[in-house]
């Protein structure tokens, strides 16, 4: 095996959105760092089944809907 081509795996602490944490090995950060998640499987609608909200910036969604409203889709 070639030397110095493999990533440096070390232990980090991952903190979930609800405050629970666990220790895992990762290439992120340095040994002993803490990674705070903004979105995880406990809070993201893709896993929780929550409703999805479409953010309409600049009227793009409304223009799209108006353009294709007659297709009956």
């Amino acid at each position: 095996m070639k030397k110095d081509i493999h990533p440096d795996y070390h232990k980090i602490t991952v903190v979930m959105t609800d405050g629970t944490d666990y220790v895992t090995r990762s290439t992120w950060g340095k040994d002993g760092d803490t990674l705070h998640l903004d979105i995880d499987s406990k809070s993201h609608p893709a896993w929780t089944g929550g409703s999805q909200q479409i953010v309409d910036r600049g009227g793009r969604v409304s223009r799209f809907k108006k353009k294709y409203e007659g297709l009956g889709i």
Side-chain angles (χ1 to χ4, degrees):
M1 291 177 35
K2 293 183 181 179
K3 294 184 178 191
D4 301 327
I5 64 166
H6 299 287
D8 176 36
Y9 284 100
H10 45 270
K11 290 184 180 181
I12 65 165
T13 303
V14 178
V15 179
M16 307 291 270
T17 56
D18 66 351
T20 59
D21 62 341
Y22 64 94
V23 177
T24 188
R25 291 173 41 101
S26 175
T27 59
W28 179 86
K30 298 175 185 171
D31 191 26
D33 281 354
T34 302
L35 175 64
H36 293 274
L37 299 178
D38 295 329
I39 297 175
D40 63 10
S41 60
K42 296 177 183 178
S43 65
H44 194 278
W47 289 283
T48 61
S51 62
Q52 181 180 6
Q53 296 178 357
I54 298 175
V55 178
D56 189 5
R57 299 188 184 206
R60 293 185 187 124
V61 174
S62 57
R63 281 185 289 171
F64 177 84
K65 287 182 179 180
K66 185 176 181 180
K67 183 176 180 180
Y68 295 105
E69 67 187 351
L71 292 178
I73 297 175

